[in-house]
Amino acid sequence: MSKIIITAALTGSLPTKKHTKHIPITPDEIAESAYRCYNAGASIVHLHARDACGKPTSEPAVFAEIVEKVREKAPMLIINISTGGRGRGQEERGSALYLKPELASLTTGSVNFPDAVYANPPQLIEFLAGEMQKYNVKPECEIFDSAMIPSAVELEKKGIISAPLYFNFVMGLKNAIPAGEKYLLRFIEDIPAGSLWGVSGVGKHQLEMNALGIKYGGNVRTGLEDNLYYEKGVLATNEMLVERVVALANQYGRTPANPDEARDILSLRRIDSKYGKDTN
Ligand code: MG
């Protein structure tokens, strides 16, 4: 059976406790949710940080606490931190990379979000990619629209990021690429041979895109960052969403990769999470 890498995007930058009591906000809540998702079959957690008021932040001290607590609670998990942050400066957006997560998100272009521009000018992208290279962090290229794929390939040509490229297609966000099979197939066709990919569906598109990712042999991101509901009117937890992906994958004869299998598939370096030191 072919393996599937499941990423749990636990928190994101938008949901609050007013939207759902299940959204993990504090470092302790995030670590607990990460642990439950690991037990459910996730091998990667994608992390955002919030300040004491619950607002999104790139504050390195907050990220440090989250990463430390996740590594304590679930030392085997692969950590992927966000370098997003609308309106924040480049130094700020890259300020937690010194923590040397194995992965970090890198959006390789600008796009309209539902109510604002998500600005990622070329110099910011190159700066963040350069910081990732410096700290030996593999970028997960977050693709919200078609032009972001050649932009990522360009970074590889310049030697700022390394093959195999790893793409996360974020589909179904209003004003960005729509959800749907034809758009996914186009993305898969557009990426360089030998690249790795996963897919996220936003809101009501999560389940559909998760299923298509499984069907076409890719990997899948799920979690409350992208969608709050298990079904209409039923709020989800992160682990419920991971369990649902595992069950769907099993129907296609696919089983979740454990974190070390995922490290091999993605060509990630290994870290000794207890000491934060590279082991290879
Ligand atoms: Mg994110």
Side-chain angles (χ1 to χ4, degrees):
M1 290 209 281
S2 79
K3 295 284 178 178
I4 181 166
I5 300 169
I6 300 171
T7 296
L10 303 177
T11 302
S13 55
L14 296 176
T16 67
K17 295 282 187 194
K18 282 186 189 153
H19 298 111
T20 173
K21 64 180 179 184
H22 301 305
I23 191 84
I25 300 282
T26 67
D28 283 317
E29 288 171 347
I30 291 170
E32 177 64 28
S33 188
Y35 178 65
R36 290 182 184 194
C37 287
Y38 166 70
N39 285 330
S43 50
I44 303 175
V45 282
H46 172 69
L47 304 174
H48 284 244
R50 303 288 185 96
D51 65 16
C53 303
K55 293 212 175 73
T57 179
S58 299
E59 181 57 47
V62 183
F63 263 117
E65 191 181 351
I66 294 169
V67 166
E68 188 185 333
K69 291 201 160 160
V70 171
R71 283 181 176 157
E72 262 171 29
K73 189 93 185 164
M76 61 303 288
L77 266 173
I78 297 167
I79 291 177
N80 171 340
I81 67 168
S82 172
T83 63
R86 270 180 292 161
R88 275 175 250 154
Q90 65 178 27
E91 301 290 340
E92 217 180 336
R93 284 178 55 174
S95 62
L97 292 169
Y98 82 95
L99 295 166
K100 301 181 80 176
E102 290 157 281
L103 286 165
S105 62
L106 179 70
T107 303
T108 50
S110 299
V111 65
N112 279 349
F113 271 5
D115 57 1
V117 177
Y118 181 29
N120 293 290
Q123 58 272 31
L124 166 77
I125 299 167
E126 288 203 14
F127 169 78
L128 289 173
E131 290 291 286
M132 290 181 202
Q133 192 172 46
K134 181 163 116 190
Y135 293 112
N136 202 5
V137 176
K138 188 175 183 78
E140 178 200 58
C141 300
E142 300 236 89
I143 305 301
F144 291 87
D145 223 332
S146 312
M148 295 185 188
I149 293 175
S151 298
V153 173
E154 194 61 27
L155 293 173
E156 190 209 344
K157 282 187 193 147
K158 287 183 176 176
I160 310 174
I161 65 178
S162 308
L165 301 185
Y166 175 39
F167 295 95
N168 174 37
F169 308 133
V170 186
M171 307 184 72
L173 185 67
K174 189 181 169 200
N175 298 328
I177 196 83
E181 193 164 17
K182 69 175 180 178
Y183 299 106
L184 176 63
L185 292 175
R186 177 62 200 265
F187 276 169
I188 296 169
E189 194 183 311
D190 279 355
I191 60 176
S195 302
L196 297 142
W197 63 273
V199 62
S200 314
V202 175
K204 65 180 180 186
H205 302 292
Q206 185 176 60
L207 183 57
E208 173 197 358
M209 296 318 300
N210 284 174
L212 287 167
I214 292 165
K215 176 180 167 186
Y216 286 108
N219 303 293
V220 159
R221 179 174 106 171
T222 188
L224 297 176
E225 171 166 352
D226 299 331
N227 163 49
L228 302 181
Y229 289 92
Y230 193 78
E231 57 191 32
K232 199 165 184 199
V234 180
L235 288 168
T237 63
N238 278 311
E239 59 272 24
M240 281 166 70
L241 296 173
V242 173
E243 283 163 7
R244 179 164 72 178
V245 168
V246 172
L248 255 175
N250 288 339
Q251 287 176 29
Y252 283 86
R254 304 187 65 195
T255 51
N258 69 36
D260 276 345
E261 289 167 338
R263 287 179 174 95
D264 287 343
I265 294 166
L266 296 174
S267 302
L268 297 180
R269 73 181 206 279
R270 298 258 172 118
I271 59 160
D272 178 341
S273 53
K274 191 171 172 193
Y275 302 104
K277 287 179 184 158
D278 290 356
T279 55
N280 66 11

